[in-house]
Amino acid sequence: MGQREEAIQLIRSSQSITFLTGAGVSVASGIPDYRSMGGVYEGLEEPEYLLSHSCLVEEPQKFYGFVKQLYHPSAEPNVIHQKMAELASHQRIKIVTQNIDQLHDKAGSQVINFHGSLYDCYCMKCGRSVAVTDYLKSDCHSECGGRIRPNVVLYEESLNSDIIESAIQAVAKAEVLVIVGTSFKVYPFSDLLRFKRGSQVIVVNNEALSLSGDYLMITEDATHFFEEL
Ligand SMILES: [Zn+2]
């Protein structure tokens, strides 16, 4: 049996699966993979600055102008999001995503949004939540004049400890861990594998990853793989 067939059988037969997903999962929904060349960052300033807390505070207009380009409110979940949501009807499925596009939520999954969500906005002055449609019109809160921001983890900001803890639990309790559509290089997300306890690991990505320990590497477009599940 090849690695691919082995991976499909493992996913079909396991009672408890945790998916760790990244930008590659949303490409087929029309959302560019912003960390790879040719993505939305090309020709612009460093994304590490444009998506940083410093930029938000010191050059809010630049931050706002950039962040607005990351919104794709009409994007729909693709076969990868849909299959993960379907599996949850008869298996214990957890999803931890680095994506901030909310497509797993849209597909009906319970998901741990490790880096927050673009579609959850609030006013930094009064703390009230603000509709995304309002934020996309202006980053100034009409009710108090404060600045609105999305609830995503920016560079220089730390992650919420409850979210880290629930992601660690999702990894520790899984029989099978499936890493999908991510180069798995962004810390601390990439550190989550340290918490696995004897689970088998499958990677589905269009480029091979080099991780420590044993895993099945399925080097192909994740949409093709998930279509067959
Ligand atoms: Zn306000």
Side-chain angles (χ1 to χ4, degrees):
M1 185 160 61
Q3 294 219 334
R4 191 173 194 278
E5 290 69 31
E6 200 180 328
I8 288 175
Q9 288 229 329
L10 264 176
I11 293 172
R12 283 185 180 150
S13 60
S14 171
Q15 280 311 298
S16 149
I17 306 170
T18 294
F19 292 101
L20 302 174
T21 75
V25 162
S26 296
V27 171
S29 294
I31 296 177
D33 178 353
Y34 53 77
R35 284 189 182 85
S36 63
M37 289 297 288
V40 293
Y41 289 163
E42 200 179 12
L44 294 168
E45 282 184 77
E46 288 296 306
E48 288 78 5
Y49 175 67
L50 291 164
L51 281 178
S52 69
H53 188 80
S54 306
C55 186
L56 170 70
V57 172
E58 287 157 25
E59 295 188 88
Q61 287 318 306
K62 190 177 270 184
F63 175 87
Y64 181 55
F66 179 69
V67 164
K68 271 204 290 188
Q69 297 178 56
L70 303 181
Y71 282 84
H72 300 273
S74 55
E76 292 294 336
N78 62 57
V79 63
I80 309 172
H81 304 101
Q82 286 158 356
K83 285 283 166 109
M84 288 180 191
E86 277 172 39
L87 289 172
S89 60
H90 42 88
Q91 285 159 291
R92 204 158 62 241
I93 302 294
K94 301 264 185 194
I95 301 169
V96 185
T97 189
Q98 299 173 88
N99 299 339
I100 52 179
D101 54 38
Q102 242 178 29
L103 289 178
H104 284 298
D105 305 73
K106 255 191 185 176
S109 291
Q110 288 283 337
V111 53
I112 298 166
N113 288 309
F114 202 67
H115 292 153
S117 165
L118 284 171
Y119 298 87
D120 173 15
C121 298
Y122 66 94
C123 172
M124 293 164 72
K125 188 174 173 190
C126 70
R128 274 179 285 185
S129 53
V130 177
V132 178
T133 45
D134 290 344
Y135 179 56
L136 291 176
K137 283 177 206 146
S138 166
D139 67 343
C140 176
H141 191 203
S142 57
E143 290 176 35
C144 80
R147 184 167 297 127
I148 304 165
R149 64 165 288 177
N151 194 8
V152 297
V153 181
L154 302 175
Y155 289 93
E156 307 160 352
E157 293 181 339
S158 40
L159 278 85
N160 176 305
S161 57
D162 290 344
I163 287 182
I164 295 180
E165 186 52 35
S166 46
I168 288 173
Q169 288 305 317
V171 168
K173 289 178 181 163
E175 272 175 35
V176 174
L177 283 167
V178 190
I179 298 168
V180 191
T182 170
S183 56
F184 216 59
K185 283 177 185 157
V186 177
Y187 179 87
F189 189 78
S190 56
D191 213 32
L192 286 172
L193 269 195
R194 282 204 300 126
F195 300 94
K196 76 183 173 77
R197 299 192 189 133
S199 37
Q200 287 179 277
V201 179
I202 299 167
V203 180
V204 184
N205 194 47
N206 53 14
E207 283 174 34
L209 307 190
S210 51
L211 306 175
S212 57
D214 288 338
Y215 56 97
L216 296 172
M217 182 68 236
I218 314 302
T219 311
E220 71 173 59
D221 186 328
T223 53
H224 296 155
F225 182 82
F226 277 81
E227 270 161 12
E228 281 186 45
L229 272 182

